[in-house]
Amino acid sequence: MIRVAAVADIHLGEGMQGAWADDVTGLDSDLLLLAGDLTRHGTRAEARVVAGEFAHAPVPVVAVLGNHDLHGDDVEGVTAELISAGITVLEGTGAVFDVSGARLGVAGTIGFGGGFPPATASGFGEPEMKAFDARNRSLAHGLCTALSSLDCDVAVALTHYAPIPGTLAGEPPQIHAFLGSHLLGRAIDDCDREDVPVALAVHGHAHAGAPDGRTPGGVPVHNVAQPLLDGAFRTFVLGR
Ligand SMILES: [Fe+2]
Ligand SMILES: [Fe+2]
């Protein structure tokens, strides 16, 4: 059995050193997933605080960024700080870890909005709408490609934006199009993994959403936004 801990939306800011270090060093899992929105405004100084909190994790830490982490227009700097703490940062990429005698693969992207049928954004009209749609499609395609490329026994999808509407229940329907995209769910279901289907999908971003759902193809999806959790992390047990 593999134990995977996860959390999103911890939104650390300057002066918050020590808020997570004890929970991190006490982790009882094989791997920790961070599903984005690790900072408040996406500054390098805030990312340095995140790095300090997770640098002494006893297990591998894998992250995707969230929209807050992009707000400061310094993805490179934020990412560099996280990497300096030993955190693996994914964007349209994957990584495989040897844990509990198995190869655990994680593929990730921040993802994007766009909504869910019957109310999905289209790439029609203004250049801005075309750009919105293009980003959505590009990141979903990156997730699909990364999932398909994982050579592992157990595959996990990690996103910030939601891949299904089910884990948005509780959020106003009017903003669902800004909280996730059906293309992420399709990427999880349709990636070429007949040998090892995706065992788990984890996301954040929807602070007032619901914890559990499934893709149309049946993959379990969990919203691990911190305000929805009882403790610091939520832990999932996966079989080989
Ligand atoms: Fe958030
Ligand atoms: Fe977010």
Side-chain angles (χ1 to χ4, degrees), residues 118-199:
T120 57
S122 76
F124 183 86
E126 298 88 336
E128 289 82 0
M129 289 304 295
K130 291 172 184 162
F132 185 99
D133 187 61
R135 176 171 174 82
N136 185 16
R137 290 182 184 282
S138 168
L139 295 182
H141 178 72
L143 176 65
C144 191
T145 303
L147 281 168
S148 301
S149 304
L150 290 175
D151 180 15
C152 61
D153 303 311
V154 179
V156 172
L158 176 64
T159 63
H160 181 61
Y161 286 78
I164 61 168
T167 46
L168 301 182
E171 296 278 7
Q174 294 88 342
I175 66 168
H176 281 200
F178 300 103
L179 296 178
S181 167
H182 71 110
L183 295 182
L184 294 172
R186 192 187 293 172
I188 292 166
D189 280 344
D190 291 355
C191 62
D192 184 17
R193 300 206 54 80
E194 286 176 13
D195 49 342
V196 184
V198 178

Side-chain angles (χ1 to χ4, degrees), residues 39 42-44 47 65 69 74-83 89:
T39 67
T43 66
R44 189 157 186 159
L65 301 184
D69 306 320
D74 189 11
V75 169
E76 210 170 291
V78 168
T79 302
E81 292 293 340
L82 300 182
I83 290 173
V89 182

Side-chain angles (χ1 to χ4, degrees), residues 9 11 37 68 160 205 207:
D9 302 279
H11 290 287
D37 275 5
H68 281 249
H160 181 61
H205 192 46
H207 293 208

